[in-house]
């Protein structure tokens, strides 16, 4: 196994190279290959399994987790989906295969729709056990559908047998998709087509972009900047009603294929966006007679009745002329409504009121919270004033210009309040105040050094280092956190006294 893995790594060190290899090999050597746009899943979106296809080409590579930096990486493309190995079975081998088949029931990611997941089962007539590969992704690589499969861990020591099984001409391949994932994705995608079509035909509102998320989807519509909020709400309520009227009428939705130079393509198709390098007939999706006719590679329902209902949940402006509308359809809509109902039931119990009283009860609680926060701020202010008076009294009788105060288990807000009052009340510009806080009995905490600008600005980082922490600041104020706030306090105090004495002697 280790020898085979090494050979794989030398030949195909990355998923991308493996994909490109099998895609080119399939294009060069297969006469019976179905290309993206005419795959089994695109001819019949309700197809769940396929037994008639055979393996055309394959390549092995070692799957690796992608390292994600601290900064959020920008997504590539309008509908990019981040790849992760988290969805794979926990017992999967790190060895993966990129596979092309003569036809595919798996939809390759594209057109805003996620790739299908599922299994490939390899069956041999030679008495060997079936091999099940987990399909975790499908990609359109130069118009060829490439399936990315992970090998179960139990085959990790027999990868050569798995490879040989793929080579055999008598190996039968059974494709089986995750139907729940497929049905969810295609109902949301079909819903998006319908909403975009009605918005354009009824109100001349164009679609800027859309996203088919895991939990909830949205469409970004382009609207007139002058529209008032009430008008926007009214317009989209009418769109929602019209959309659901088409669903109740169970209007048909079907794929069609046209050549680019067909007059019908130029005159009747709503959206003619095409990826670069596409060849042959163009796949389109038609809704009813005149509702919509647009280019699309995705899977869709045969009739709108499968959507059951579409509901717009909320709207938000993302730009002055772009309104984002969140929606749900079919089974996902039921899940969303169930979650909302469960949340409302929990709130009813927590608030001890009826559903109709929830808004009033929450508003009352927020008002009470604001009043209590105001009272707390006033008490904090009085407490801080008393604390500063106590500090300055001790400071006045001391020959040194350094005050070190452990405020105990308080937050940074209170510590800042005390420090501000101390600096304002103290008339000695050379005075130095060090405040620390943290949980009782803990050495972790925060510190705030204020006062003498020369010492604070020049030695704040040294103080943070002595506390085994870090911080920042300037103009006589430096704050930070550390892990030796109390155990190093005496040493820090001596350090600051020495710096003050040195500065005094220099003056």
């Amino acid at each position: 196994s280790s020898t085979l893995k090494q050979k794989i790594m030398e030949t195909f060190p990355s998923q991308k190279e493996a994909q490109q290899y099998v895609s080119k090999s399939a294009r060069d050597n297969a006469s019976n290959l179905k290309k993206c746009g005419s795959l089994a899943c695109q001819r019949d979106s309700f197809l769940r399994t396929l037994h008639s296809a055979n393996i055309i080409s394959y390549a092995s590579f070692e799957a690796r987790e992608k390292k994600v930096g601290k900064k959020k990486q920008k997504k590539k493309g309008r509908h990019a989906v981040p790849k992760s190995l988290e969805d794979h079975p926990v017992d999967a081998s790190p060895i993966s295969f990129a596979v092309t088949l003569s036809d595919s029931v798996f939809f390759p990611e594209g057109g805003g729709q996620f790739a299908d997941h599922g299994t490939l089962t390899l069956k041999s007539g030679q008495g060997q056990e079936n091999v099940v590969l987990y399909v975790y992704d499908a990609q359109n690589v130069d118009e060829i559908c490439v399936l990315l499969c992970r090998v179960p861990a139990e085959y990790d020591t027999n990868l050569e047998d798995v490879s040989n099984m793929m080579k055999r001409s008598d190996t039968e391949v059974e494709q089986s998709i995750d139907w729940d994932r497929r049905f969810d994705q295609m109902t949301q995608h079909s819903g998006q087509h319908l909403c975009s079509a009605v918005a354009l035909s009824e109100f001349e509102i164009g679609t800027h972009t859309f996203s088919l998320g895991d939990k909830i989807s949205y469409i970004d519509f382009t609207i007139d900047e002058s529209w008032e909020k009430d008008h926007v709400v009214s317009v989209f309520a009418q769109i929602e009603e019209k959309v659901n009227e088409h669903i109740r009428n169970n209007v048909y939705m079907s794929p069609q294929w046209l050549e680019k130079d067909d007059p019908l393509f130029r005159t009747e198709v709503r959206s003619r966006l095409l990826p670069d390098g596409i060849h042959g007939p163009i796949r389109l999706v038609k809704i009813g007679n005149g509702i919509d006719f647009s280019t699309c590679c995705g899977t869709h329902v045969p009739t709108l009745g499968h959507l059951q209902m579409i509901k717009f949940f909320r709207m938000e402006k993302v730009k002055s002329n772009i309104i984002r509308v969140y929606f749900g359809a079919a089974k996902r809509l039921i899940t969303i409504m169930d979650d909302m109902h469960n949340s409302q039931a929990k709130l009813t119990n927590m608030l001890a009121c009826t559903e109709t009283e929830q808004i009033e009860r929450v508003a009352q609680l927020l008002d009470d919270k604001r009043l209590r926060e105001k009272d707390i701020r006033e008490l904090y202010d009085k407490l801080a004033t008393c604390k500063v008076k106590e500090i300055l009294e001790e400071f006045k009788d001391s020959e040194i210009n350094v005050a070190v105060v452990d405020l105990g288990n308080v937050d940074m807000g209170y510590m800042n309040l005390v420090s501000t009052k101390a600096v304002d009340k103290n008339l000695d510009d050379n005075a130095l105040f060090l405040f620390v806080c943290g949980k009782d009995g803990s050495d972790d905490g925060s510190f705030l050094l204020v006062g003498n600008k020369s010492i604070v600005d020049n030695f704040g980082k040294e103080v943070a280092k002595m506390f085994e922490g870090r911080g920042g600041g300037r103009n006589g104020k430096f704050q930070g956190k550390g892990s030796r706030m109390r155990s190093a306090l005496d040493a820090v105090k001596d350090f600051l006294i020495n710096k003050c004495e040195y500065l005094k002697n220099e003056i």
Side-chain angles (χ1 to χ4, degrees):
S1 174
S2 59
T3 303
L4 178 62
K5 287 184 183 180
Q6 185 60 44
K7 181 180 178 182
I8 290 167
M9 288 300 293
E10 289 177 355
T11 307
F12 301 109
S14 71
Q15 173 183 312
K16 182 178 180 180
E17 290 175 86
Q19 288 180 172
Q20 291 171 338
Y21 169 80
V22 297
S23 175
K24 185 177 186 305
S25 178
R27 287 196 309 274
D28 294 345
N29 301 304
S31 58
N32 63 335
L33 179 69
K34 294 292 184 181
K35 292 186 177 181
C36 294
S38 58
L39 300 173
C41 59
Q42 294 167 317
R43 301 192 302 273
D44 180 1
S45 296
F46 266 54
L47 199 62
R48 306 187 189 196
T49 60
L50 188 65
H51 299 81
S52 57
N54 58 288
I55 296 173
I56 301 296
S57 60
Y58 76 94
S60 306
F61 63 95
E62 187 163 357
R64 293 179 177 178
E65 289 277 10
K66 284 192 173 183
K67 293 182 179 179
V68 180
K70 291 183 179 179
K71 292 184 178 179
K72 186 178 181 182
Q73 297 180 353
K74 291 183 179 179
K75 294 180 180 179
K76 295 180 181 179
R78 208 167 44 143
H79 306 296
V81 181
K83 300 295 183 295
S84 171
L85 301 183
E86 293 177 358
D87 292 336
H88 305 171
V90 293
D91 61 344
S93 161
I95 298 299
S96 291
F97 286 94
V99 181
T100 61
L101 304 172
S102 57
D103 202 354
S104 174
V105 74
F106 290 90
F107 174 74
E109 177 192 335
Q113 187 170 328
F114 296 172
D116 282 329
H117 293 175
T119 58
L120 282 186
T121 303
L122 308 182
K123 302 178 180 180
S124 172
Q126 302 298 315
Q128 287 182 270
E129 290 186 7
N130 294 343
V131 174
V132 178
L133 304 178
Y134 303 111
V135 179
Y136 63 87
D137 197 7
Q139 290 293 309
N140 179 341
V141 182
D142 298 327
E143 298 187 81
I144 305 300
C145 179
V146 178
L147 305 183
L148 300 176
C149 316
R150 296 208 71 186
V151 183
E154 58 264 32
Y155 294 103
D156 192 27
T157 55
N158 295 296
L159 288 173
E160 193 167 359
D161 292 341
V162 177
S163 177
N164 289 333
M165 199 168 183
M166 285 191 174
K167 291 179 184 178
R168 298 179 65 92
S169 59
D170 62 346
T171 297
E172 296 180 12
V173 182
E174 178 183 317
Q175 304 176 51
S176 180
I177 64 169
D178 179 342
W179 175 247
D180 287 341
R181 177 183 173 88
R182 158 72 70 80
F183 188 74
D184 175 66
Q185 279 291 299
M186 72 178 178
T187 49
Q188 307 316 301
H189 198 174
S190 299
Q192 177 271 315
H193 270 247
L194 180 58
C195 292
S196 293
V198 170
L200 185 63
S201 62
E202 299 287 332
F203 296 93
E204 298 184 349
I205 297 174
T207 293
H208 177 67
T209 186
F210 68 91
S211 173
L212 306 177
D214 291 333
K215 302 294 183 182
I216 192 167
S217 305
Y218 67 78
I219 306 171
D220 285 349
F221 291 102
T222 304
I223 62 171
D224 191 319
E225 293 184 24
S226 65
W227 284 5
E228 297 291 336
K229 181 179 179 180
D230 289 346
H231 181 65
V232 173
V233 171
S234 173
V235 166
F236 281 95
Q238 294 175 65
I239 293 173
E240 183 183 86
E241 175 55 35
K242 188 67 176 179
V243 162
N244 284 299
E245 180 183 322
H246 290 315
I247 293 173
R248 289 191 295 271
N249 291 335
N250 199 26
V251 174
Y252 74 85
M253 189 173 191
S254 61
Q256 293 188 20
W257 286 263
L258 293 176
E259 296 291 344
K260 280 189 283 188
D261 57 358
D262 191 307
L264 191 63
F265 182 78
R266 295 197 301 269
T267 58
E268 299 296 325
V269 177
R270 171 177 66 87
S271 170
R272 294 185 293 276
L273 296 174
L274 296 173
D276 295 334
I278 192 168
H279 303 92
I282 308 301
R283 185 175 183 271
L284 304 105
V285 174
K286 186 175 184 180
I287 304 178
N289 292 316
I291 296 175
D292 193 33
F293 197 26
S294 59
T295 55
C296 186
C297 64
T299 57
H300 292 281
V301 296
T303 59
L304 296 183
H306 289 286
L307 303 185
Q308 296 176 278
M309 179 183 179
I310 287 178
K311 179 63 184 173
F312 296 160
F313 290 101
R314 72 176 188 274
M315 294 180 288
E316 60 185 24
K317 265 196 173 183
V318 293
K319 288 185 179 180
S320 60
N321 67 329
I322 302 292
I323 191 79
R324 177 166 293 172
V325 178
Y326 294 87
F327 74 96
K331 190 175 180 180
R332 186 185 292 196
L333 174 58
I334 295 172
T335 301
I336 292 170
M337 297 299 285
D338 280 344
D339 290 343
M340 288 182 172
H341 174 76
N342 291 335
S343 295
Q344 190 172 58
K346 290 178 182 178
L347 281 173
T348 299
N349 290 332
M350 291 170 66
L351 298 172
C353 65
T354 63
E355 293 178 0
T356 57
E357 296 171 331
Q358 283 183 4
I359 294 177
E360 183 181 346
R361 181 61 59 88
V362 171
Q364 180 186 348
L365 289 172
L366 290 174
D367 286 340
D368 292 344
K369 179 176 178 288
R370 282 189 285 269
L371 289 173
R372 284 196 297 271
E373 287 175 345
K374 181 182 177 183
D375 292 340
I376 290 171
R377 284 195 300 271
E378 291 175 354
L379 289 172
Y380 259 37
D381 190 81
K382 291 178 181 178
L383 183 60
T385 300
C386 293
K387 188 65 179 178
V388 168
K389 184 177 179 181
E390 176 187 320
I391 294 169
L392 294 180
E393 282 294 325
E394 294 180 7
F395 195 66
K396 182 176 64 175
D397 299 331
S398 174
E399 295 182 359
I400 60 174
N401 289 356
V402 178
V404 176
V405 183
D406 186 346
L407 294 174
N409 188 15
V410 299
D411 57 27
M412 281 298 295
Y414 178 73
M415 191 155 67
N416 272 298
L417 182 60
V418 171
S419 69
T420 301
K421 286 180 175 289
V423 172
D424 290 343
K425 293 288 185 181
N426 183 60
L427 301 178
D428 186 354
D429 292 337
N430 293 320
L432 201 60
F433 297 91
L434 174 64
F435 299 97
V436 299
C437 66
K439 292 182 179 179
D440 295 337
S442 173
D443 219 9
D444 294 331
S446 303
F447 71 90
L448 179 58
L449 181 64
V450 293
N452 189 303
K453 289 185 180 181
S454 177
I455 294 177
V456 172
D457 293 356
N458 287 306
F459 300 105
K461 289 185 178 180
E462 186 67 27
V463 169
K465 187 176 179 181
M466 294 177 72
F467 281 135
E468 293 188 4
R470 58 191 304 176
R474 61 179 181 174
N475 296 326
K477 184 176 181 179
F478 190 100
Q479 67 183 44
K481 293 183 178 181
S483 58
R484 294 191 63 225
M485 299 309 304
R486 287 171 176 125
S487 58
L489 198 57
D490 289 340
V492 173
K493 181 177 181 180
D494 291 340
F495 171 79
L496 294 174
I497 290 173
N498 288 336
K499 295 302 176 184
C500 284
E501 290 294 331
Y502 176 78
L503 183 64
K504 185 188 296 183
N505 293 334
E506 284 291 311
I507 296 173

